[in-house]
Amino acid sequence: MPNIVVVGTQWGDEGKGKVVDVLAPHVNVVVRYQGGNNAGHTVVVGREKYVLHSIPSGILHPGCRCVIGCGVVVDPGSLIEEMESLVQRGVVLDGNLFISKNAHLIMPYHPALDRASEAKLGPRRIGTTGKGVGPAYVDRAARVGIRMADLLDERLFREKLEYNVAQKNRLLREIYDAQTFNVDEILHPYLRYAGWLAPYVTDTALLLHKWIDSGYSVLFEGAQGTMLDIDHGTYPFITSSSTTAGGAATGTGVPPKKIHGALGVAKAYTTRVGGGPLPTEMTGRVAEEIRARGKEYGATTGRPRRCGWADAVVLRYAVRVNGLDTVALTKLDVLDQSETVKICVAYRYQGDLLTDFPGEETVLSGVEPVYEELSGWMAPTSRAKNEADLPAKARQYLERLQELIGAPFCMISTGPQRDETILCEDSPLLRWFPSVRSSLL
Ligand code: GDP
Ligand code: IMO
Ligand code: MG
């Protein structure tokens, strides 16, 4: 049974939650491999809307097991809130949710350091979600992090907490002139969290190994997107984890040779929250219209998302660094009322034409997009059941985009609902999961 990575191809919020929810009934397991509660993955089921932050988007399907892998950083208070809210809405977690004992914890000093560091950066601030994700990964790399297994070992937890609080307090006081913490105010709530989470904490790498050996199929749910990857993204305006397909192996303990394919999720245009370059950024009325039609406000922070035209340079790059076999294109309906639609096919920089994504900060902040302009379709797409039902000009847009990015589309999403999804014929997706056809066609 195939094990497939689902990864964002842009700057996050591409609709990964919806795509994973649509595929979840066709796999046995969904696993998150990186990021933390900076993610906000929306799943809409009829009139119900769920925004998942740390829990995989397969959780709404009772037969689907959900794993929070070792590469994820977990804020236990926020995770418990998310779990309680799902349970209140009738979702069964016991027997369905598994948390890696090696996952690192987000501690109360991490969001404090996140905010303090952002304030210090001033105009060069990243525009983080403020959840403490970056500082938690700093501690992991510095080897002073506290892991889920440590939380369940009271003596070790207290020892690590004491060391960290002393160290972080100096940093907060002397470098950032910010409020400090005391051990007891963290220890007691965290020990309560330990009691709550203990039944879910396990060796998820071993569990995944056994499941895969017994023939289970696993979906790896990426958070954020390729352009926010710590190595391959628009550094330093990125998140602090390996968001790209490679992260799926290290972030779960599943060996690369047991991962059989990669599916990218791309919006029909581009959005970004926070600072940093966005070469195809729209301004004025066009941006406002797309933001309003696409409801482009952050699922985690509520911030308005910056909007831009589709960028084939970015998407081609995402195909390359993730080895994408196929792409699910989302939010096509948001362009339904645009008289013209643009695709960026290259960048111009100091007289040169760049067709490969440049990594240098200075180059990226100075590039001019080169656009191809197509006429819009000016007709609704959300009732289309297959590609042939789409307006001819929408099909032309999709064909041109597909040609430019060099990977076939497997799915066209025309609305947030599960059934607002068109399956593309002859895509790798139907070879991986043939049963998707009967559930969507
Ligand atoms: P994620 O972080 O990649 O999971 O994406 P988000 O959930 O942050 O943002 C995507 C938003 O678009 C959510 O509100 C989804 O419900 C919504 N959405 C997903 N697919 C479509 C689509 O095809 N059309 C429209 N109009 N909305 C969509
Ligand atoms: P999903 O999974 C969009 C952005 C932040 C900021 C940068 C660093 O819903 O697609 P961080 O808090 O991670 O240190 O912030 O990354 N960012 C996201 N943007 N979608 C996300 O997640 C994001 N998670 C982080 O806005 O620019
Ligand atoms: Mg999101």
Side-chain angles (χ1 to χ4, degrees), residues 124-136:
R124 283 186 63 80
R125 71 182 169 277
I126 297 153
T128 71
T129 59
K131 302 289 180 189
V133 167

Side-chain angles (χ1 to χ4, degrees), residues 280-295:
T280 61
E281 186 156 14
M282 300 161 171
T283 51
R285 192 177 54 82
V286 187
E288 277 160 31
E289 279 174 14
I290 295 290
R291 185 174 302 121
R293 280 191 226 131
K295 302 194 174 73

Side-chain angles (χ1 to χ4, degrees), residues 215-230:
Y216 279 18
S217 181
V218 178
L219 212 56
F220 298 82
E221 177 178 355
Q224 291 80 51
T226 301
M227 306 315 289
L228 290 170
D229 183 275
I230 189 158

